Amino acid sequence: MTTTPTSRFADTRPNPWVTFTLRRLGRLTVSLAVLITASFAMIHLVPGDPVRAALGVSASPELVEARKHALGLDRSLPDQFGSFVAGLLQGDLGESIGAGMPVAEIISDRLPSTMQIAAIAFVTTIVVAVPLGMAAGVFTRHGRRRRLELAFVGATSVVAVLPEFLLAVGLAAIFGAQLGWLPVALKDGPESYVLPVLALAIGPVAALSRIVRVETLRVLDEDYMRTARAKRLPTRILYVRHALPNLLTSSLTLGGLMLAGLLTGTVLVENVFAWPGLGMTMVQAIIQKDYPLVQGVVLVYGTLALLINFTVDIVLAIADPNSTIRES
Amino acid sequence: MSFTQRLRRTLRTPLGIVTMFAVFVLLVVAIIGPIFWQDTADRVDTTAIGRGGSAEHWFGTDALGRDIAARMIVATRLTLELTLGAVVIGGVGGFVLGTLPTVLGPRLARLVTALVNLLIAFPTLLFVLFLAIVFGVGTHGAVLAIGIGIVPTFARLIQNLAASVAGSDYVASARILGVGRFRLIVRHILPNIAEPVALFLFQAGAGILLAFSGLSFLGLGVQPPDYDWGRLLNEQLNRVYTHPESAVGPAVAIVLTGLAFNLVGEVLSQAGGRRGLRTAADRDHRATVPAPSDDPNGTAGDGTGPAPLLEVDRLRITFPGGHVAVRDVSLSVAPGEAVGIVGESGSGKSLTALAVAGLVPYPARVTARSITFDGVDPTAGARLGTSLSMVFQDPMASLNPALTIGRQLSEVAEVHLGHNRTQAMKRAVDRLRAVRIPDPEHRSGMRPSEFSGGMRQRTMIAMGLMGEPRLVIADEPTTALDVTVQAQVLALLRDVRTKSGAAVLMISHDIAVVSQVCERVMVMYAGRVVEELPTGDLVTGTAHPYTRALIGAVPDMTTDRGLPLVTIAGRPPGPGEDTPGCPFAPRCELATDRCHTDEPALERIDAARRVACWHPVITPPEARIETE
Ligand code: SF4
């Protein structure tokens, strides 16, 4: 090979993987910085005096002042921000005004309950939506079973627009109140998980299975499926071995994108089922104007959402390197 | 058809009527609700506290004995007002943020885009809750929070739309003419993105309605003594055990209204023509019995040579709408024989091959008087096993990208030969070696994307050899390959044939390629076989004007490279362009009046040759130059 002017640069061209990961890490860092700044600023942005609001109108001015001092709210803003960030680095999220307990303690107490239902709901979504969408695709292929197609598309589009909290209320009314099959409040035995998980998962199942159906229709028309048919393989192998892996990447992409939304959906669902998680803590704290606690929960929810999206990005890049890296 | 016309037409469909009805009802209730029911809704009745649903109180009464149904009706106005308020805030905010990059200089534009990207990274619900806290819990705070909450998504949409419009010719020319940036947006960009934007706003409206109800439901939205549907739901939730109708009533109101918003969006998008209605013709794909046509003169295999391995009698493939892609094609292949089918794209040659394997894609319809392969009908779901194998063109698309090469080969042996996994894999490696894939043990673990084009095509052939094929159908096996690799693959196919004794049916647009492998060639034009002849006769013994033109159009060893290539003027008839007479007549130099009115049948001219032409060029055998 002769030396062309461009070949001198070939060696110094950065590895696309490194660029990709660095970019995503950069984006994550910026987002985290914004999140931390915003949650710090929140307590100063709320209308009125947050401490007065939390302690109530009857509290004496001395008590309010003392509390402010204890929370460090009487210091200069840069000073406060400095100690806020320093505290964060040590896992210190400040102290709840209402409960008088460290925020970090309350959160580590409540977080597992939220993560449990979110994780179970996510797994349920994937496990149900992929086979459901695939079956719908196979059965309604080539415009067959027009009625089934209509019913599927109609039902999933109605369900997909239902918000979690309404689903939750409906589920509680039917399975809890009318039929009495399942508990409608509080975290207890395994059966108490059923309704919160259903409320979280039903919407994503509907949305994802629609997409899986469309993907299935696309994959079934690919040339390699014709090859597989030409090999006269049994139907089961045709769909499971040849079609499924090819629609998994796109399905998981969308599933992953739904994960962060599913996590924040716990805020509403937990409040319907009195589920002792982060979401219920957050709403109570907002109503009680316990701002340090709100701050902590917003930080945790936000960080989790950012981390989930970051992980999904990286996992997808590994699963489907060409498309992801080219796109960035 | 203009947008208004399409809208009017869509409104007359059942969907449109339901939508108009829903919007009408909502508006009426919102306007007259507070006028007529305000008193009932506010009337405290200590004698009827917390009642369940009854004829008097449809959804029961609340903790102060107020009628929930009346409160729902009254709450309609506030609920819709709040939704509208948030839509306006979100719409204006998103529009400003979305068009800013077009107006600003490149550096500021990048900053705005980065800001939008940053905000979009956070889940909307979290963003809204944060804003609701910052603006203060209450009605105003919630409207602002939700309105601003949709700004990032909306801004992203506008940015994308504006970018696509801004790149178009008319905007570019407006820019050259010196149209100002602001004017550019208002005059040139806005009208072109109005439709999708309106659609988005209605869909966002549904989302906002639900989000608002969610906030009120959490106690973070509307505060007492005011109430919207979410607030009512919040107040009634604890009674879901005792009087579920009280909680379900507001919930249903929220859902139905949300659906109404979506319906409006759907109507707009249909009027926008984004979703075409399917034509009735597409639906009919059930097979009907074809009208039997006149019997052509049998197939070339008749009476001569051994009993055919494959025999197809009057194959016809039609598409919905009446297009006949393959018209009464008959062919036969003797055991061990290699037959080629040649034609331009659209001539029906590939469909013919697929029909033999029972793989014709939807919505085409296959009928034939009979198809017999090895004594059975392959299209009737008979178990063919591995006696018929196919090699497709474009091996990149025809190999499964998600499975390893070894797996795609070995499964054939597992399924059809009852091999276990190890045996099957051994056979796969063996077959890969047979098609001269270097280092097959290692390569069988790779995926198709790691193979070169030639290796993929050889893999396809190896796949066909996993069983014991008696017929290999090769559909354009060399089309995607460069000349050297093409020659290797053809050599391989010849080799396969001699070693396995399998017959070959080869489909190609390239007569030179076919003549390197096959003894007999069938030429197809517009869904018909127009000539059938031994490969040896191709150079000097062709009778049909189309074949003669094809030979002229394809350079091969005997072509004088000094002469310009003969090209066939005109093009073959497209789908649905059926004319009486010979299909080649419009392009034929020898065409006479008869050619334009009567269609020539495929007639035998000697033991090995058939031709469908009124004026065939008959060369006596003595005058033919033997090739090979
Ligand atoms: S029938 Fe007539 S038009 Fe057709 S190929 Fe023969 S000469 Fe040409």
Side-chain angles (χ1 to χ4, degrees):
Chain A
M1 234 177 93
T2 55
T3 312
T4 59
T6 46
S7 71
R8 270 187 297 133
F9 298 101
D11 298 335
T12 54
R13 199 188 301 140
N15 177 344
W17 277 101
V18 175
T19 343
F20 174 76
T21 315
L22 281 181
R23 269 176 179 230
R24 290 296 140 106
L25 267 178
R27 202 189 279 179
L28 177 69
T29 318
V30 173
S31 305
L32 277 178
V34 169
L35 177 68
I36 290 170
T37 317
S39 56
F40 168 78
M42 185 177 76
I43 203 162
H44 301 278
L45 287 173
V46 293
D49 180 342
V51 178
R52 159 71 60 200
L55 295 176
V57 272
S58 55
S60 68
E62 292 77 29
L63 180 64
V64 172
E65 278 315 307
R67 201 63 202 224
K68 264 192 185 167
H69 184 70
L71 291 167
L73 286 173
D74 50 356
R75 288 181 290 157
S76 77
L77 273 184
D79 196 16
Q80 284 187 42
F81 186 62
S83 49
F84 178 71
V85 175
L88 277 185
L89 293 176
Q90 296 158 17
D92 177 9
L93 293 169
E95 194 168 290
S96 150
I97 301 183
M101 272 163 65
V103 170
E105 208 169 286
I106 301 179
I107 288 178
S108 58
D109 184 40
R110 296 294 184 92
L111 183 61
S113 299
T114 297
M115 295 294 270
Q116 279 167 2
I117 49 169
I120 299 175
F122 178 66
V123 173
T124 312
T125 303
I126 301 288
V127 169
V128 175
V130 172
L132 185 68
M134 231 181 121
V138 168
F139 285 127
T140 61
R141 195 166 175 237
H142 297 335
R144 276 178 300 182
R145 300 193 182 77
R146 190 79 36 171
R147 278 207 206 115
L148 180 70
E149 182 187 344
L150 266 180
F152 178 82
V153 173
T156 47
S157 45
V158 170
V159 173
V161 299
L162 292 183
E164 300 92 345
F165 75 100
L166 286 183
L167 273 169
V169 172
L171 288 171
I174 296 169
F175 294 103
Q178 290 300 102
L179 301 170
W181 288 351
L182 294 160
V184 293
L186 298 173
K187 184 180 170 184
D188 201 4
E191 65 275 8
S192 68
Y193 283 70
V194 176
L195 291 184
V197 166
L198 276 182
L200 279 176
I202 286 179
V205 164
L208 187 58
S209 62
R210 282 186 77 165
I211 294 158
V212 173
R213 173 175 166 267
V214 174
E215 277 296 293
T216 307
L217 294 178
R218 177 185 66 77
V219 167
L220 290 183
D221 273 344
E222 294 281 354
D223 285 353
Y224 52 78
M225 289 307 293
R226 187 179 63 183
T227 309
R229 262 176 239 125
K231 287 194 264 182
R232 296 177 204 278
L233 300 172
T235 320
R236 179 180 42 87
I237 293 189
L238 207 61
Y239 291 135
V240 175
R241 191 186 293 162
H242 286 259
L244 184 61
N246 287 296
L247 45 90
L248 224 47
T249 313
S250 50
S251 306
L252 290 182
T253 310
L254 290 149
L257 292 177
M258 286 175 185
L259 187 54
L262 204 146
L263 182 78
T264 47
T266 53
V267 175
L268 288 148
V269 169
E270 285 181 11
N271 277 280
V272 176
F273 296 106
W275 190 259
L278 218 49
M280 212 167 86
T281 312
M282 182 180 186
V283 173
Q284 279 168 356
I286 296 174
I287 291 172
Q288 289 162 9
K289 303 199 183 338
D290 187 345
Y291 291 112
L293 184 54
V294 174
Q295 208 172 42
V297 180
V298 165
L299 256 179
V300 171
Y301 263 123
T303 310
L304 282 176
L306 292 176
L307 285 180
I308 286 172
N309 285 340
F310 175 74
T311 319
V312 168
D313 270 0
I314 298 289
V315 169
L316 284 173
I318 295 168
D320 190 6
N322 298 332
S323 65
T324 321
I325 293 193
R326 217 182 305 122
E327 159 256 320
S328 71
Chain B
M1 200 164 26
S2 74
F3 179 74
T4 350
Q5 278 172 313
R6 271 180 310 205
L7 183 63
R8 227 174 271 153
R9 205 180 63 170
T10 317
L11 284 178
R12 259 180 260 128
T13 62
L15 175 83
I17 292 166
V18 170
T19 308
M20 282 198 295
F21 179 74
V23 171
F24 177 75
V25 169
L26 266 178
L27 284 179
V28 168
V29 172
I31 292 166
I32 67 164
I35 302 173
F36 289 101
W37 282 279
Q38 190 75 59
D39 294 341
T40 328
D42 291 343
R43 194 185 303 129
V44 175
D45 182 357
T46 43
T47 62
I49 286 173
R51 290 270 174 83
S54 63
E56 195 187 344
H57 305 290
W58 286 2
F59 295 112
T61 56
D62 70 3
L64 292 173
R66 294 175 296 198
D67 181 56
I68 292 173
R71 289 172 77 76
M72 271 170 56
I73 292 172
V74 173
T76 310
R77 185 188 284 184
L78 183 63
T79 308
L80 290 183
E81 278 172 359
L82 296 178
T83 305
L84 194 69
V87 171
V88 169
I89 293 173
V92 171
F95 186 75
V96 169
L97 214 53
T99 47
L100 268 183
T102 323
V103 188
L104 297 172
R107 208 168 291 165
L108 282 172
R110 217 171 302 146
L111 201 73
V112 173
T113 315
L115 177 72
V116 170
N117 286 342
L118 189 85
L119 290 177
I120 271 187
F122 294 97
T124 315
L125 181 65
L126 195 68
F127 187 44
V128 167
L129 280 177
F130 175 82
L131 292 170
I133 297 162
V134 170
F135 292 129
V137 168
T139 310
H140 295 292
V143 173
L144 274 174
I146 292 179
I148 297 176
I150 66 157
V151 164
T153 329
F154 189 46
R156 164 76 65 87
L157 176 85
I158 299 260
Q159 264 177 19
N160 290 346
L161 289 171
S164 69
V165 174
S168 61
D169 291 346
Y170 54 89
V171 171
S173 54
R175 213 173 256 153
I176 292 167
L177 290 173
V179 177
R181 280 170 178 159
F182 181 72
R183 207 180 147 82
L184 202 63
I185 289 180
V186 176
R187 277 289 173 79
H188 296 271
I189 296 183
L190 191 56
N192 286 296
I193 61 174
E195 260 178 62
V197 165
L199 175 63
F200 174 83
L201 284 180
F202 271 98
Q203 276 164 355
I208 283 177
L209 175 89
L210 298 170
F212 220 108
S213 308
L215 273 193
S216 289
F217 167 75
L218 290 175
L220 306 178
V222 175
Q223 300 295 322
D226 292 335
Y227 50 92
D228 64 348
W229 289 334
R231 183 78 218 171
L232 289 177
L233 190 62
N234 168 300
E235 287 167 5
Q236 301 310 319
L237 182 65
N238 48 2
R239 297 173 58 204
V240 89
Y241 264 132
T242 46
H243 301 301
E245 67 275 12
S246 305
V248 170
V252 169
I254 295 169
V255 171
L256 289 183
T257 311
L259 282 177
F261 274 95
N262 273 323
L263 280 180
V264 176
E266 184 73 8
V267 165
L268 284 181
S269 85
Q270 285 204 355
R274 240 168 298 282
R275 220 167 292 171
L277 295 169
R278 276 180 238 213
T279 55
D282 282 352
R283 276 183 213 145
D284 177 36
H285 60 277
R286 268 154 292 182
T288 50
V289 182
S293 57
D294 288 358
D295 196 358
N297 292 8
T299 56
D302 274 358
T304 59
L309 172 71
L310 170 73
E311 178 132 51
V312 176
D313 188 8
R314 261 155 291 164
L315 172 74
R316 185 181 270 254
I317 300 177
T318 44
F319 279 89
H323 170 55
V324 183
V326 173
R327 193 180 291 263
D328 302 329
V329 166
S330 300
L331 64 98
S332 80
V333 180
E337 190 189 15
V339 177
I341 302 184
V342 175
E344 289 166 285
S345 62
S347 61
K349 58 188 192 308
S350 285
L351 277 173
T352 304
L354 288 174
V356 169
L359 293 171
V360 172
Y362 175 85
R365 203 170 65 196
V366 180
T367 48
R369 187 164 287 181
S370 72
I371 300 180
T372 324
F373 172 72
D374 216 4
V376 297
D377 180 355
T379 57
R383 290 207 51 93
L384 277 179
T386 56
S387 54
L388 190 156
S389 69
M390 287 211 64
V391 176
F392 291 106
Q393 65 173 319
D394 192 2
M396 183 66 233
S398 296
L399 289 171
N400 195 321
L403 302 176
T404 62
I405 298 286
R407 192 86 200 90
Q408 296 188 54
L409 262 64
S410 66
E411 65 181 358
V412 179
E414 275 178 51
V415 167
H416 294 295
L417 307 178
H419 282 18
N420 66 29
R421 219 163 164 144
T422 335
Q423 288 172 315
M425 198 49 93
K426 240 183 100 193
R427 191 180 172 93
V429 170
D430 182 60
R431 290 301 127 116
L432 286 173
R433 189 174 294 121
V435 297
R436 294 192 275 284
I437 299 278
D439 194 7
E441 284 88 359
H442 172 62
R443 284 218 158 76
S444 64
M446 291 183 167
R447 280 166 214 281
S449 55
E450 297 168 82
F451 271 35
S452 71
M455 286 208 302
R456 282 186 212 121
Q457 191 64 73
R458 277 180 275 157
T459 304
M460 281 300 296
I461 295 173
M463 193 185 280
L465 298 177
M466 279 304 287
E468 263 101 35
R470 302 203 57 206
L471 175 65
V472 176
I473 300 179
D475 184 4
E476 302 267 10
T478 59
T479 307
L481 308 173
D482 64 52
V483 186
T484 342
V485 187
Q486 190 168 329
Q488 288 169 7
V489 168
L490 289 178
L492 181 63
L493 271 175
R494 276 197 302 263
D495 191 37
V496 161
R497 208 187 132 205
T498 28
K499 282 201 184 128
S500 68
V504 172
L505 181 61
M506 188 163 158
I507 318 295
S508 180
H509 66 279
D510 187 344
I511 208 161
V513 163
V514 163
S515 62
Q516 288 182 48
V517 178
C518 305
E519 287 108 46
R520 189 150 58 85
V521 178
M522 298 173 76
V523 181
M524 283 187 73
Y525 187 78
R528 301 144 171 97
V529 175
V530 293
E531 179 160 19
E532 178 178 349
L533 73 169
T535 315
D537 284 349
L538 272 176
V539 180
T540 49
T542 50
H544 196 282
Y546 176 63
T547 318
R548 297 176 73 87
L550 261 190
I551 303 275
V554 178
D556 66 359
M557 309 309 162
T558 62
T559 312
D560 182 351
R561 305 279 161 137
L563 295 175
L565 282 180
V566 184
T567 49
I568 313 171
R571 56 175 185 85
E577 294 178 352
D578 286 325
T579 45
C582 172
F584 190 58
R587 300 166 81 183
C588 183
E589 286 173 356
L590 306 179
T592 56
D593 287 348
R594 186 183 188 192
C595 301
H596 290 279
T597 49
D598 299 334
E599 186 178 340
L602 190 62
E603 307 270 3
R604 184 173 299 285
I605 44 177
D606 60 36
R609 300 193 295 160
R610 291 190 295 167
V611 67
C613 176
W614 294 127
H615 312 292
V617 185
I618 306 289
T619 327
E622 316 82 65
R624 285 180 225 154
I625 305 161
E626 281 303 320
T627 51
E628 283 176 275

